[in-house]
Amino acid sequence: VIKEYCASPVTLKLRTSTSRYFADESTELTPRSMGIRLHRAFESAETRDDIFGTLDEMTIDGGLNREEVASLKAQVTDTLDNSVAGEWFDGSWQELHRERNILRPNTTSKRPDRVMTRGGEAVVIDYKFGEENNAYHRQIAEYIEILEQMGYTSVKGYIWYVPTGKIVQIEK
């Protein structure tokens, strides 16, 4: 019998990588469905070529038409060419974690969109497809704090508002 054993209640939730995509099955390309498709392209990408390849696959699959893909490619290229985001998809990171849970003791898990590391450096990014919201700043600040607790000495956090191309660096 174990008499002095501290345990916390298990509050894990299972979220499959595709479960959120089935909620928007309509053929009309709404801002929400566009955001879901772009998020899918980013989460599977290591480099910008990977993003463009996924967008091309969406054309083949019928999810997007050629004009939509051309517009999205231009939008993504503009952001990656003219901001810090270009480094996020240049293939130079030692480790890349996309949509991975960070399990923490005695609390809920966290799931940043993209975490890139090399040595003691870490960068965390969350993609947003709607309006700006201060709650997102707190979310990224929490991710930064968690990564610092994990031993990373130089941690940066960003929110990428994809539709506008705006990138906001978040301070802890």
Side-chain angles (χ1 to χ4, degrees):
V1 175
I2 301 174
K3 295 187 184 233
E4 293 186 35
Y5 179 73
C6 296
S8 61
V10 177
T11 58
L12 297 177
K13 294 180 183 177
L14 179 63
R15 184 170 110 182
T16 63
S17 62
T18 59
S19 62
R20 67 176 169 249
Y21 301 127
F22 293 116
D24 193 6
E25 290 284 342
S26 70
T27 57
E28 179 184 337
L29 198 59
T30 65
R32 181 176 184 274
S33 62
M34 181 67 77
I36 288 169
R37 286 171 174 85
L38 279 173
H39 199 283
R40 188 181 317 158
F42 294 145
E43 78 181 24
S44 64
E46 185 172 333
T47 66
R48 74 172 58 201
D49 289 339
D50 297 335
I51 296 170
F52 299 149
T54 301
L55 291 173
D56 288 337
E57 288 173 13
M58 289 180 192
T59 303
I60 294 166
D61 293 345
L64 299 172
N65 65 43
R66 293 182 196 280
E67 294 80 25
E68 291 164 335
V69 168
S71 174
L72 290 173
K73 283 183 177 181
Q75 180 183 351
V76 169
T77 297
D78 186 53
T79 301
L80 296 183
D81 284 349
N82 298 303
S83 69
V84 67
E87 183 183 347
W88 303 341
F89 295 94
D90 68 3
S92 68
W93 295 91
Q94 283 179 330
E95 292 188 49
L96 175 59
H97 305 281
R98 299 165 295 224
E99 295 286 335
R100 296 273 175 88
N101 283 328
I102 300 173
L103 301 177
R104 303 176 308 150
N106 303 321
T107 187
T108 60
S109 64
K110 295 295 177 181
R111 189 180 182 114
D113 288 338
R114 184 179 186 94
V115 177
M116 302 162 300
T117 62
R118 65 179 156 224
E121 179 184 10
V123 176
V124 60
I125 298 111
D126 228 47
Y127 316 117
K128 300 300 181 189
F129 297 92
E131 299 294 318
E132 293 185 37
N133 185 328
N134 284 335
Y136 301 149
H137 294 237
R138 289 188 299 276
Q139 177 187 22
I140 298 297
E142 188 173 10
Y143 293 157
I144 291 169
E145 185 175 333
I146 291 168
L147 290 166
E148 287 174 342
Q149 291 171 357
M150 293 170 70
Y152 292 99
T153 55
S154 173
V155 182
K156 294 179 183 174
Y158 298 91
I159 301 170
W160 180 3
Y161 293 98
V162 178
T164 62
K166 182 175 182 179
I167 294 173
V168 179
Q169 182 171 0
I170 305 301
E171 303 292 329
K172 184 174 85 167

